[in-house]
Amino acid sequence: MQRNDTTSLIYEDDHLDLEGLDGKKRKAKKAAKKNKRKAKKAKRKKRRRKIWGFLKRFNPALSAIRNGLYAAAKIDMKKMSSRLRYGYLSPQEAQKLGVDLNKLGKIKKTLTKLERTVEKLGGKKKNLKKAILKGRGNKDRKVPLNGVVPYLSEFDSYENEVNGLGEVATATVIAAATPIILATLNMMKKSGVDTEEEMYDSSQTDYDPDEEELPEE
C-alpha cells in the first residue's frame, strides 16, 4: 500500500513537471509569434513611410516650398539665417562667443521646428543646415561648418539656380515658402531675438517656441 502511494506521488510530481514544461513552451511560442508580428508590422510601416517620403520629395508643390525655404536661408532673408545659425552651436561654443544661453535655447527650439517642417515637406534637415551655414548669413564663418560636407543633394542642384537668379526671380521662388518664413521670423521675435545683436543680450522673455507650430504649406 505504501509502495503504491509513493509511486502515485512520483507520477503526480512528474506529471506536474511535464505540464510546467509544456506551459513554458507554449508561452515561448506565443511570444515568438508576437515578436514576429511586431517585426512584420514595423517593416510594413517603414516601407509605407519610405514610399510616402518618396512621394512628398517629388511632389511639385512641396518641392516649391522647400526650394523657397532653401533660397530664403541662403540669401539670409530678413536676417533669418544670421540668427538661426547659432542653433547649430553647442552651449560651450556659444559661451565662448558671449551668446546668451537662454536665447540660444530658444533659437535651438525654433530651428528644430523648422527642421521638422522641412522633413514633413519631404526635405532633409542637412540641406537646410547647408543653406544656412554656407549662405550670406554665415559669411563670416562665426558658426563653423560642422558636418557640412560636399554631397549631391536636392539643395546642391538647386543652389546653382539660386546663385544665378535675379532679385525678382528669387522673390518668386521664395513666395511659396512665405508663410513658414514669416512664422519662423515671428517666433524669433517673440523669443527676444529680433536681431542678431539680441543673441548677446541677457534680457529674458517668457515666450516658449514649443507653444507654437510652423505651418506646413
Side-chain angles (χ1 to χ4, degrees):
M1 188 75 177
Q2 192 174 354
R3 185 181 293 176
N4 289 339
D5 289 342
T6 304
T7 305
S8 177
L9 286 169
I10 292 169
Y11 174 77
E12 284 177 7
D13 286 344
D14 287 345
H15 185 64
L16 287 170
D17 286 341
L18 287 170
E19 280 189 343
L21 286 170
D22 286 342
K24 285 178 183 177
K25 283 180 181 177
R26 280 197 297 270
K27 282 182 181 178
K29 273 188 177 181
K30 195 174 180 181
K33 282 182 180 178
K34 190 176 180 181
N35 289 335
K36 198 173 181 180
R37 282 198 302 270
K38 276 186 179 179
K40 281 184 178 179
K41 190 176 179 182
K43 198 173 180 180
R44 284 197 300 269
K45 191 175 179 181
K46 188 178 179 180
R47 194 184 297 120
R48 282 198 300 268
R49 195 162 54 236
K50 194 173 181 180
I51 292 168
W52 179 234
F54 179 84
L55 292 173
K56 285 195 294 184
R57 188 170 173 77
F58 293 99
N59 181 298
L62 299 183
S63 180
I65 298 171
R66 291 196 308 271
N67 288 336
L69 273 174
Y70 297 149
K74 183 169 176 59
I75 67 170
D76 194 23
M77 182 181 177
K78 301 285 185 184
K79 302 296 179 184
M80 178 175 76
S81 296
S82 61
R83 287 171 279 166
L84 283 173
R85 62 176 174 162
Y86 290 99
Y88 294 111
L89 291 174
S90 68
Q92 292 79 10
E93 289 170 328
Q95 242 175 346
K96 285 179 184 177
L97 291 173
V99 171
D100 180 67
L101 295 184
N102 177 56
K103 299 283 179 67
L104 178 71
K106 290 179 179 180
I107 281 293
K108 279 183 177 291
K109 285 182 179 180
T110 302
L111 180 59
T112 298
K113 282 184 177 290
L114 186 57
E115 287 175 336
R116 285 177 186 160
T117 300
V118 166
E119 289 180 323
K120 285 177 183 176
L121 293 168
K124 295 179 180 179
K125 57 185 181 182
K126 62 184 178 182
N127 287 339
L128 177 67
K129 182 177 182 179
K130 192 170 183 180
I132 291 171
L133 295 186
K134 291 190 75 177
R136 291 179 196 168
N138 193 40
K139 61 185 176 184
D140 58 4
R141 295 296 184 262
K142 191 181 283 186
V143 177
L145 304 177
N146 294 333
V148 179
V149 294
Y151 60 91
L152 288 174
S153 67
E154 171 187 48
F155 176 71
D156 285 319
S157 60
Y158 189 71
E159 186 176 19
N160 293 328
E161 294 178 39
V162 173
N163 288 335
L165 290 174
E167 286 185 17
V168 176
T170 303
T172 304
V173 170
I174 291 171
T178 299
I180 298 170
I181 295 164
L182 291 178
T184 303
L185 291 168
N186 190 46
M187 285 172 70
M188 288 193 285
K189 185 176 182 178
K190 286 182 179 179
S191 296
V193 191
D194 199 25
T195 64
E196 183 183 355
E197 288 70 29
E198 287 178 325
M199 284 299 299
Y200 300 87
D201 182 4
S202 60
S203 58
Q204 304 283 320
T205 67
D206 294 329
Y207 171 74
D208 186 352
D210 276 342
E211 295 171 0
E212 288 193 36
E213 290 296 330
L214 293 175
E216 291 177 32
E217 53 182 303

